């Protein structure tokens, strides 16, 4: 007999729908901004992470950058991992817990990107996704951890390529780890820890967005 139906991964559905819709819209609408800097002429998409814009008050970019993608291949790769990794994790912990985790890891990815690549535009969901992997490590089985370590090693190699944000990957992963430790201690502990982790992640992200408040890097 077939088992009970699996819960719908509504957060992952929303991520995929928004990312694909945004990418298609940007192919036909001139909604990116052009800026000139020491890195040359750059196009900044409407939700892309770019330090000077966040510094000027466009804080939605701290989270919105996960929906922006630079090419069809970039979009396809990240959304495929949302399906394989995200669906599994969201069904395992529930959509509300998964949504909170995603906010924390997205902020973590943006924080490290701002610290190490403040003037470099950054887009993509991969930092948030690496955070999901970081959260899964403490709660995975031995076989699951082995598979995750193999996948993480592959991503680490890809992170060394030009135009790949190693900082965003590392930040998302590191911010995901404490969420996974809280999950391992039980749902009640996670429910209490998540608002604290989310608040701290937001504070650190805002701090990274304003280097002038600490005399620069």
């Amino acid at each position: 007999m077939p088992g009970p139906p699996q819960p719908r991964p509504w957060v992952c559905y929303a991520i995929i729908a928004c990312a694909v819709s945004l990418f298609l819209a940007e192919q036909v609408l001139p909604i990116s901004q052009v800026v000139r800097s020491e890195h040359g002429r750059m196009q900044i998409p409407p939700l892309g992470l770019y330090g000077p814009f966040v510094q000027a008050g466009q804080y939605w970019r701290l989270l919105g950058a996960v929906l922006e993608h630079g090419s069809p291949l970039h979009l396809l790769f990240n959304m495929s991992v949302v399906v394989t990794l995200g669906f599994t994790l969201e069904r395992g912990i529930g959509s509300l817990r998964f949504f909170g985790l995603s906010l924390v890891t997205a902020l973590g990815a943006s924080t490290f990107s701002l610290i190490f690549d403040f003037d470099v535009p950054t887009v993509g969901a991969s930092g948030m996704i690496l955070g999901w992997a970081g959260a899964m490590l403490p709660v995975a089985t031995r076989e699951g951890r082995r598979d995750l370590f193999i996948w993480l090693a592959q991503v680490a190699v890809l992170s060394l390529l030009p135009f790949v944000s190693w900082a965003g990957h590392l930040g998302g992963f590191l911010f995901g780890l404490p969420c996974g430790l809280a999950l391992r201690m039980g749902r009640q502990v996670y429910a209490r820890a998540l608002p604290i982790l989310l608040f701290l992640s937001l504070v650190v992200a805002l701090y990274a967005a304003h280097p002038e408040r600490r005399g620069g890097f």
Side-chain angles (χ1 to χ4, degrees):
M1 294 180 61
Q6 291 184 313
R8 301 277 188 178
W10 293 114
V11 176
C12 288
Y13 286 167
I15 292 171
I16 294 171
C18 291
V20 172
S21 299
L22 183 61
F23 183 81
L24 293 176
E26 290 174 356
Q27 305 312 301
V28 297
L29 298 174
I31 52 180
S32 295
Q33 293 180 253
V34 178
V35 299
R36 297 182 182 277
S37 72
E38 60 182 19
H39 300 284
R41 185 175 178 271
M42 301 180 296
Q43 282 195 332
I44 313 298
L47 299 184
L49 185 71
Y50 182 57
F53 285 2
V54 181
Q55 186 181 28
Q58 298 181 17
Y59 298 118
W60 62 83
R61 296 177 181 272
L62 293 170
L63 295 173
V66 302
L67 301 177
E68 292 280 5
H69 291 84
S71 69
L73 184 61
H74 187 204
L75 177 67
L76 178 62
F77 178 79
N78 279 350
M79 294 306 102
S80 68
V81 184
V82 171
V83 171
T84 55
L85 190 68
F87 278 23
T88 300
L89 182 56
E90 183 173 352
R91 284 169 172 158
I93 68 175
S95 292
L96 187 59
R97 297 181 186 89
F98 180 77
F99 179 64
L101 167 64
S102 299
L103 293 178
V104 171
T105 60
L107 288 171
S110 292
T111 296
F112 271 53
S113 294
L114 289 173
I115 290 174
F116 294 102
D117 294 311
F118 188 81
D119 294 319
V120 178
T122 305
V123 298
S126 52
M128 177 182 67
I129 291 170
L130 265 292
W132 297 346
M136 291 178 73
L137 278 177
V139 297
T141 63
R142 179 179 297 181
E143 182 179 354
R145 282 196 295 269
R146 183 193 63 189
D147 293 340
L148 277 172
F149 276 127
I150 292 173
W151 181 74
L152 287 169
Q154 295 171 342
V155 174
V157 173
L158 292 175
S159 298
L160 300 177
L161 296 175
F163 307 109
V164 177
S165 177
W166 66 267
H169 288 179
L170 181 60
F173 175 77
L174 292 178
F175 275 56
L177 284 174
C179 295
L181 293 173
L183 278 169
R184 185 172 181 173
M185 289 185 280
R187 293 190 172 187
Q188 289 186 341
V189 173
Y190 181 75
R192 293 173 182 173
L194 184 60
I196 299 173
L197 292 171
L198 184 55
F199 174 76
L200 293 175
S201 299
L202 181 58
V203 169
V204 173
L206 293 175
Y207 184 73
H210 291 279
E212 79 282 359
R213 294 179 181 175
R214 55 188 187 278
F217 291 116

